[in-house]
Amino acid sequence: MSSNKKIACVLTLSIVTIAGVFLWITNSAAGVTNSADFNQKILNSLAELNLPKSNDLSLINSAPDNLGNYISYRSGVALSQSNKDALRQSEQLCWNQSKSVGQSQLAQILTDVAFERLVTLTDSDIGSMSDTLRGFNDSSLSSTFQSGRSMVRLRANGEGSLQPQYFVSQLEYARDAQIDYNRSRSGYPPLLIQANRAALYNRIVNEISERVRTLSDADPEFLTGSTKGLTPAKAMLVSYAVVTNDMLLGNSVDLQQRMAIQQQTLSSYWNQQYPSPQGRKAFGVNGYLYSSPTNYLFDDASVARVLTLINERSN
């Protein structure tokens, strides 16, 4: 393989890693199939969210709080008041003007924000991301369960497993290359950097498409308007789902049951007590079901930037 091709492979893998959207989604991550039960769990989830399906001012006004509560109990991510206010204004504008954001537009927005975020990461940030992606951790984990944290897992179903050292070195390499390119002092061909951006975009758009498809299969009214696009609130829901690998299955009660089943299954299989899910979050940083670095990928500044771009690019 030529040196340029090797660099391309390294950068593509690394930049896809930072976005948290590196592999195509599979229903095996959730432990269920795309069946009536699967669809019902999604409906339970959407019912708890109660996002607007028409220009209903009361639902539009409550959407940011509903979404904030929803992603908070699932992942611990907290939407700031300023971001909720911005989302409320954006949602009102889109409904009043019959505007929405397309799936490809949302993929481009997430790609742009991922690249902006990539160059801000310190070595310490990347090390923290690596540890988070190794999975749920607790001081009471036995050596058996700790051994299950030996690899970085890029998706909840175990696909995309990497040695932590490799993850760190390649992400640092990708960050430095992008910084050099942004400062016009990179030794990498411009087409190579563009190819990596295109590769990341393609992964993101595929994942968004799968997320929207499963939501729409369960609820045909999920997509609204003649353009069949996403309102800002639904765009933020899909963005959250992509970053956290949350399949959006089930309401709060269903989610607690899933975590309890996981504890029982692991404890029984290994004949050792796995930590209780009580007080745990299913997703996000140190998520019980899947741990993802939302403190870097879905932090307050990143959410604000996504909202700004959604506002600018909706049509």
Side-chain angles (χ1 to χ4, degrees):
M1 183 182 292
S2 70
S3 60
N4 276 354
K5 286 184 177 179
K6 287 180 180 178
I7 292 170
C9 288
V10 166
L11 290 182
T12 297
L13 171 63
S14 302
I15 295 172
V16 169
T17 297
I18 178 64
V21 287
F22 352 71
L23 298 172
W24 290 275
I25 195 66
T26 61
N27 289 340
S28 62
V32 296
T33 57
N34 199 358
S35 61
D37 180 60
F38 182 93
N39 287 339
Q40 186 57 56
K41 283 184 169 60
I42 289 180
L43 287 174
N44 292 348
S45 180
L46 292 176
E48 197 165 56
L49 258 172
N50 197 27
L51 295 180
K53 296 181 179 179
S54 64
N55 196 357
D56 183 321
L57 187 58
S58 62
L59 287 180
I60 291 171
N61 284 334
S62 64
D65 288 330
N66 291 347
L67 181 62
N69 293 337
Y70 178 88
I71 67 175
S72 177
Y73 83 69
R74 299 179 81 90
S75 67
V77 171
L79 290 185
S80 67
Q81 189 59 52
S82 61
N83 279 336
K84 287 194 285 188
D85 290 343
L87 177 57
R88 184 175 293 106
Q89 293 173 3
S90 184
E91 188 79 0
Q92 289 174 348
L93 183 65
C94 281
W95 279 107
N96 290 339
Q97 298 183 2
S98 300
K99 296 168 67 176
S100 62
V101 61
Q103 296 176 47
S104 60
Q105 289 173 307
L106 180 59
Q108 190 61 64
I109 288 169
L110 294 182
T111 301
D112 291 346
V113 173
F115 271 82
E116 292 172 7
R117 192 68 177 98
L118 172 63
V119 298
T120 70
L121 295 175
T122 66
D123 289 355
S124 177
D125 292 336
I126 293 173
S128 176
M129 290 176 66
S130 173
D131 186 67
T132 297
L133 286 166
R134 288 169 58 194
F136 172 72
N137 195 14
D138 187 77
S139 59
S140 66
L141 281 180
S142 68
S143 58
T144 299
F145 293 128
Q146 279 290 353
S147 67
R149 302 187 66 252
S150 62
M151 302 287 284
V152 165
R153 294 188 306 139
L154 301 184
R155 297 316 276 167
N157 64 355
E159 291 188 56
S161 293
L162 299 172
Q163 290 286 348
Q165 301 92 326
Y166 182 78
F167 172 91
V168 168
S169 65
Q170 299 314 314
L171 199 53
E172 289 177 351
Y173 186 81
R175 175 203 60 196
D176 295 344
Q178 188 63 41
I179 289 173
D180 282 351
Y181 176 76
N182 290 351
R183 294 174 178 172
S184 301
R185 67 185 189 195
S186 175
Y188 305 105
L191 286 177
L192 179 59
I193 302 296
Q194 293 168 14
N196 285 309
R197 183 180 285 271
L200 175 57
Y201 167 81
N202 288 334
R203 292 296 180 96
I204 293 176
V205 79
N206 277 319
E207 180 132 349
I208 287 174
S209 176
E210 284 299 312
R211 295 293 176 148
V212 173
R213 180 187 63 79
T214 57
L215 289 166
S216 298
D217 284 348
D219 180 7
E221 295 183 22
F222 181 76
L223 292 180
T224 57
S226 58
T227 61
K228 297 300 181 183
L230 297 161
T231 67
K234 290 175 181 176
M236 292 308 301
L237 171 66
V238 171
S239 299
Y240 155 79
V242 167
V243 169
T244 59
N245 204 200
D246 182 350
M247 295 287 288
L248 308 180
L249 289 167
N251 54 28
S252 55
V253 173
D254 296 328
L255 204 56
Q256 289 299 318
Q257 290 175 344
R258 280 179 61 193
M259 290 194 288
I261 290 172
Q262 173 148 311
Q263 182 199 23
Q264 294 166 8
T265 301
L266 290 173
S267 298
S268 175
Y269 183 84
W270 293 104
N271 197 30
Q272 296 180 33
Q273 187 65 22
Y274 194 71
S276 168
Q278 188 67 34
R280 313 285 188 183
K281 302 297 183 183
F283 303 99
V285 177
N286 207 34
Y288 196 82
L289 298 180
Y290 179 67
S291 178
S292 60
T294 49
N295 51 333
Y296 298 109
L297 301 175
F298 212 71
D299 59 297
D300 195 55
S302 297
V303 169
R305 181 64 175 150
V306 170
L307 283 169
T308 295
L309 294 178
I310 286 174
N311 226 17
E312 292 176 357
R313 299 180 189 180
S314 296
N315 54 50

